[in-house]
Amino acid sequence: MRGPVTGKGGSIMRQQDTMLQDGGCAMQRLTPAERAVAAMAMHGTPYKTIARTLDKSPATVRNQLHMIYQKLGVSNRTALSGVLLCDP
């Protein structure tokens, strides 16, 4: 795996790239913006931190996370992690 990326949200994007390889099917159902939110949310990152890192409002992050839950058929971050980590 490549080293950390500097800059706003860079290391999160590295995590997202790794997740796309490991959890391809579930992640492919999400938009690029939702993928970035999902990558951070599955690690327990708070809404406000996700919003600051991705330069979005906390309300936008909450809305995107709600859409992610609907698309993947889950109801919380724990279930989200399970789907993304266990996806073949």
Side-chain angles (χ1 to χ4, degrees):
M1 187 169 173
R2 293 177 267 176
V5 176
T6 57
K8 192 172 189 177
S11 62
I12 299 304
M13 291 300 139
R14 284 283 182 246
Q15 291 173 1
Q16 179 185 346
D17 290 344
T18 300
M19 283 179 36
L20 283 171
Q21 293 168 3
D22 296 341
C25 278
M27 288 298 269
Q28 289 176 357
R29 290 183 249 162
L30 305 177
T31 67
E34 290 169 343
R35 289 176 189 162
V37 171
M40 296 180 75
M42 71 177 280
H43 293 290
T45 308
Y47 289 114
K48 288 182 181 180
T49 304
I50 296 171
R52 263 193 316 270
T53 302
L54 299 177
D55 199 28
K56 300 175 183 244
S57 75
T60 298
V61 172
R62 277 192 300 276
N63 290 337
Q64 287 179 321
L65 198 50
H66 179 72
M67 293 304 299
I68 292 166
Y69 291 167
Q70 285 185 331
K71 286 182 179 182
L72 300 182
V74 299
S75 60
N76 57 51
R77 291 177 186 225
T78 302
L80 174 65
S81 295
V83 167
L84 295 178
L85 292 174
C86 294
D87 200 21

